[in-house]
Amino acid sequence: MISPLALPLEESPAAPNPGPSCVKVSDVCEIVYEQTKVKWLAESSYWVLVKPLTILLIVIVAMLIRALIHRAVDRLIKHTVADNESGGSLLRPFRNRLPTALALPAERRNQRARALGSVLRSIASAVVFTIATMLVLGEVGLNLGPLLASAGIAGLAIGFGAQNLVKDFIAGLFMLLEDQYGVGDVVDVGETSGTVEAVGLRITTIRDAAGVVWYVRNGEIIRVGNKSQGWAVVNIDVPVGFISIDQATAVLREAAAAVAEDPDFVDDFIDPPTVLGVEQITADGAVLRTTVKTSTEAQWRVGRELRRRLTEALERAGIAAQLTAARMFIRPAVDHNSDTGQGGPT
């Protein structure tokens, strides 16, 4: 009987040498492995050469896309500025498509166009670099699923906590798009009114007549009264007492017409001034209203000059003296010879 130990051992087949893990992923890795048959060298080429080049390509493409978007925005803003200077109306709201004399100044529209261009460039940069960052993290091997889920939950929590901030930004963006007001406008936003000194996406800076600077959040502005857009109407109410209304009307009409014909103010009037007539009746007599349509930037100086001229005209016509006399009354004389010192009229 032959012992099993005496039998010759059969040669076992050699264990296959597995290739690098990157062969099926990268052609460069496969080429290096076929040429060298060195596993670690092929895998090193994948992580040292292929991955960095892919990441670099992603960054370069992102920069190119960002540059193209910025160039397109700059061309749009440049075209808009040129259009505004030539009298165009690309960014003029429909309510501001007025005749040339009443249209907003080109510089105002240019400032608005540049502000919108800055916002568009910032949004484009944020979107492009966010996508590029996600692609780079994917190339590094980071699982984006949990990251995106965590970012979504964090974004939801931040959204609830910063909803006022988001509200301010959205309101500021629509304010720019709709051109509700700009730097230099005189506005009334409810709790304060004054001249706009700065306009941002989150805060509007207003300086009131007392010199106080107010920082108003755009999301808190419910309504805006803009006194510097288009044209303005100056209403002046003048008391004339109990005299002839026709006489007082003629005096006021002549004085207002003199202001409209004055070379220093003739360009400020859009329509000739009008004396509407009796606005109300008070204890002192009738009150006449004079109204004039003027440009927004000249409404205050025209109003002051018109009040001065109307006052002087009433004084020259003797109407002011009659109004003053009507307000005077005679106090009864006191008899100082009486015992009590309170005598009756003499």
Side-chain angles (χ1 to χ4, degrees):
M1 183 175 180
I2 302 175
S3 174
L5 299 176
L7 295 176
L9 297 176
E10 296 181 359
E11 295 181 359
S12 59
N17 185 18
S21 60
C22 61
V23 171
K24 297 181 180 180
V25 180
S26 173
D27 294 335
V28 176
C29 178
E30 182 178 0
I31 293 173
V32 173
Y33 182 71
E34 290 177 354
Q35 296 295 328
T36 62
K37 300 300 180 182
V38 180
K39 180 179 178 181
W40 66 269
L41 183 59
E43 292 180 347
S44 298
S45 67
Y46 177 69
W47 288 101
V48 175
L49 184 63
V50 177
K51 284 292 184 180
L53 288 179
T54 304
I55 295 174
L56 181 61
L57 180 62
I58 292 174
V59 174
I60 292 176
V61 171
M63 294 293 293
L64 288 177
I65 294 176
R66 175 180 175 273
L68 290 176
I69 295 177
H70 281 203
R71 183 177 180 183
V73 172
D74 291 338
R75 288 174 63 90
L76 176 63
I77 299 305
K78 183 178 180 181
H79 175 72
T80 302
V81 171
D83 189 51
N84 290 337
E85 293 177 351
S86 62
S89 57
L90 180 61
L91 281 179
R92 292 170 63 187
F94 290 109
R95 59 184 172 81
N96 287 333
R97 298 180 188 271
L98 302 170
T100 305
L102 301 181
L104 292 177
E107 183 59 29
R108 160 75 178 277
R109 298 196 300 272
N110 293 344
Q111 292 177 357
R112 175 168 161 256
R114 296 187 184 98
L116 290 176
S118 177
V119 173
L120 291 177
R121 285 191 293 267
S122 300
I123 294 176
S125 299
V127 172
V128 170
F129 284 130
T130 299
I131 297 176
T133 301
M134 295 176 62
L135 293 176
V136 170
L137 293 178
E139 288 295 328
V140 173
L142 183 64
N143 188 3
L144 296 179
L147 181 62
L148 293 177
S150 301
I153 296 174
L156 186 62
I158 294 175
F160 277 112
Q163 54 183 338
N164 289 332
L165 182 62
V166 175
K167 180 181 178 182
D168 294 339
F169 272 96
I170 294 177
L173 181 60
F174 276 100
M175 179 272 300
L176 286 175
L177 290 174
E178 297 172 359
D179 192 24
Q180 298 176 7
Y181 53 84
V183 176
D185 284 349
V186 179
V187 298
D188 183 351
V189 295
E191 295 185 358
T192 185
S193 61
T195 304
V196 178
E197 290 194 341
V199 177
L201 286 179
R202 193 179 73 88
I203 286 179
T204 297
T205 305
I206 300 175
R207 186 180 295 274
D208 63 13
V212 180
V213 178
W214 296 84
Y215 299 93
V216 184
R217 289 172 41 203
N218 294 329
E220 297 297 324
I221 300 177
I222 300 177
R223 53 105 176 147
V224 179
N226 196 330
K227 303 178 182 179
S228 304
Q229 283 186 346
W231 46 269
V233 174
V234 178
N235 295 316
I236 300 177
D237 294 335
V238 181
V240 295
F242 296 97
I243 64 171
S244 173
I245 299 300
D246 293 336
Q247 177 188 358
T249 301
V251 171
L252 296 178
R253 184 178 292 116
E254 182 181 356
V259 178
E261 295 173 358
D262 193 324
D264 295 334
F265 298 92
V266 65
D267 295 332
D268 299 329
F269 286 79
I270 298 175
D271 291 334
T274 304
V275 180
L276 299 180
V278 179
E279 181 65 20
Q280 59 180 330
I281 299 293
T282 66
D284 295 327
V287 176
L288 300 185
R289 168 164 292 187
T290 303
T291 181
V292 60
K293 189 175 182 180
T294 180
S295 58
T296 55
E297 64 273 8
Q299 56 181 310
W300 293 281
R301 106 185 126 123
V302 168
R304 285 190 289 267
E305 181 65 17
L306 196 58
R307 293 184 186 93
R308 185 179 71 84
R309 297 285 187 94
L310 295 181
T311 302
E312 293 177 351
L314 293 176
E315 184 178 0
R316 287 195 300 268
I319 298 177
Q322 297 181 31
L323 179 62
T324 304
R327 291 183 176 180
M328 297 179 60
F329 64 94
I330 301 175
R331 297 180 61 183
V334 178
D335 185 6
H336 297 284
N337 297 324
S338 61
D339 296 337
T340 60
Q342 296 179 352
T346 60

